[in-house]
Amino acid sequence: MNKKILVAGDVMLDRYWFGEVNRISPEAPVPIVRVEKREERLGGAANVARNAVALGAQAALMGIVGDDDAGNSVESLLEASGIQGYLIRDPQISTIIKLRVIGRQQQLLRIDFEERPTEPVLRDKLNRFNSLLAGFDVIVLSDYAKGSLVNVSAMIEAATAAGKLVLVDPKGSDFHRYAGASLLTPNKSELRQIIGDWNSEEELTTKAQQLRRDLRLQGLLLTRSEEGMTLFTEERISHVPAMAREVFDVSGAGDTVIATMAVMLANGMSMQDAVAIANRAGGIVVGKLGTATVTKEELFAATAI
């Protein structure tokens, strides 16, 4: 596979502390976790790139990290995963870290460390993004509302002008900054923030299609957890029911979905067909602990992409 995907957005380091829980603290009514294993994984936009590589694509990651040990860890994990890194170091901030404490295969606590990038670094990132565009087939913008994509409108404009497919995992209360993208992939709560609640499928369709037209999107993919996924395009509305599977951990499932869409679209698949495969990938990854990936073998049972 020679298709190349550029992922840009909020880069994070996911840390996991695994341990045993055998008693309650005498200091407060909280469990005591005796940590036995520690693990680091790529998170946020970096997890999107990791998922794309797991499906056989060539992927590069562009984002901002601190000039610290966590930033070094992200670079090492990218190299180990076969992801081309275009990381910009911001000495004024710390790398975003999500620390999860796991006891008896259950998440007990998550601690977040995060700071917003500084303005000079953001300007540098936009310039570098524009210089990289020509070398990629599909652009994925992974917005976790951590500050790395404040220039997202300019990034979409540059990418579409270059003839690239642009997929966006959106956040926030204003989707107009994503106008002109090829595909948006909000979940239910994210879409509800924009269009309000809906009382029927008909009302959802009317509101979603109006939003899609207002934003000049080719497609709007609503991920609906146990209700599956619905793709809204000008030609049709396609609904894919959720896979019947035990849900173990939903963290990172959205990353898997958008990465799968990007890989399938990069290889010429229609949005409708890509959604069915992305739905399958999401169903597989929620059966795994933490931010995880789905392989081609899992997805296609040894059938080549």
Side-chain angles (χ1 to χ4, degrees):
M1 180 184 292
N2 56 7
K3 298 298 182 182
K4 299 182 71 176
I5 296 169
L6 175 62
V7 181
D10 294 306
V11 175
M12 306 175 194
L13 180 65
D14 285 351
R15 284 181 170 156
Y16 293 85
W17 290 0
F18 299 93
E20 284 296 317
V21 180
N22 294 314
R23 60 195 181 100
I24 301 299
S25 171
E27 302 165 1
V30 295
I32 295 175
V33 181
R34 185 166 59 85
V35 176
E36 298 178 332
K37 185 178 73 167
R38 302 182 188 192
E39 193 174 315
E40 292 184 333
R41 302 179 191 176
L42 294 170
N47 188 45
V48 177
R50 179 172 166 245
N51 271 271
V53 166
L55 290 172
Q58 295 182 56
L61 174 70
M62 189 179 174
I64 299 168
V65 295
D67 190 10
D68 51 18
D69 287 342
N72 295 338
S73 292
V74 171
E75 283 198 335
S76 297
L77 289 167
L78 290 177
E79 186 176 349
S81 300
I83 300 166
Q84 177 68 54
Y86 295 101
L87 297 180
I88 302 173
R89 298 279 190 150
D90 188 340
Q92 302 300 314
I93 67 167
S94 299
T95 301
I96 297 174
I97 298 172
K98 291 184 178 181
L99 170 61
R100 296 173 174 91
V101 181
I102 313 292
R104 294 183 179 173
Q105 298 298 299
Q106 290 186 321
Q107 186 176 151
L108 302 177
L109 178 67
R110 195 182 92 185
I111 305 170
D112 291 2
F113 305 86
E114 59 186 61
E115 298 174 74
R116 299 180 76 82
T118 56
E119 189 59 39
V121 171
L122 289 169
R123 284 197 299 270
D124 184 25
K125 180 186 176 186
L126 180 58
N127 292 334
R128 189 177 297 192
F129 175 81
N130 291 338
S131 70
L132 290 172
L133 274 178
F136 295 88
D137 302 290
V138 175
I139 310 300
V140 178
L141 302 176
S142 179
D143 196 348
Y144 273 79
K146 306 301 182 187
S148 291
L149 287 180
V150 294
N151 299 316
V152 69
S153 296
M155 296 169 79
I156 292 171
E157 184 177 352
T160 53
K164 309 299 180 181
L165 279 173
V166 183
L167 282 63
V168 183
D169 191 356
K171 286 289 184 296
S173 57
D174 180 15
F175 277 15
H176 284 93
R177 59 205 201 102
Y178 306 123
S182 308
L183 179 72
L184 247 60
T185 63
N187 60 31
K188 284 193 297 185
S189 62
E190 289 161 351
L191 185 63
R192 192 173 282 116
Q193 240 189 307
I194 304 301
I195 67 173
D197 215 339
W198 54 87
N199 297 311
S200 65
E201 287 296 309
E202 291 76 18
E203 186 179 3
L204 168 60
T205 296
T206 299
K207 289 184 171 182
Q209 288 287 49
Q210 186 60 55
L211 177 66
R212 185 189 58 76
R213 295 186 187 103
D214 288 346
L215 299 182
R216 308 186 311 281
L217 309 172
Q218 294 177 33
L220 177 69
L221 176 60
L222 174 61
T223 58
R224 309 176 66 174
S225 303
E226 71 281 355
E227 297 172 357
M229 300 181 186
T230 305
L231 174 67
F232 301 91
T233 66
E234 190 62 41
E235 296 76 28
R236 71 180 82 169
I237 300 154
S238 308
H239 182 74
V240 184
M243 293 176 60
R245 178 180 290 272
E246 181 180 359
V247 176
F248 192 68
D249 191 342
V250 298
S251 59
D255 299 336
T256 299
V257 167
I258 198 168
T260 305
M261 290 294 296
V263 174
M264 299 306 124
L265 292 175
N267 283 273
M269 191 174 286
S270 70
M271 280 192 185
Q272 284 77 18
D273 291 339
V275 167
I277 295 175
N279 184 62
R280 191 186 315 163
I284 293 170
V285 83
V286 297
K288 302 180 180 184
L289 177 62
T291 47
T293 61
V294 177
T295 65
K296 284 192 297 183
E297 290 72 25
E298 289 174 301
L299 203 48
F300 295 99
T303 300
I305 293 177

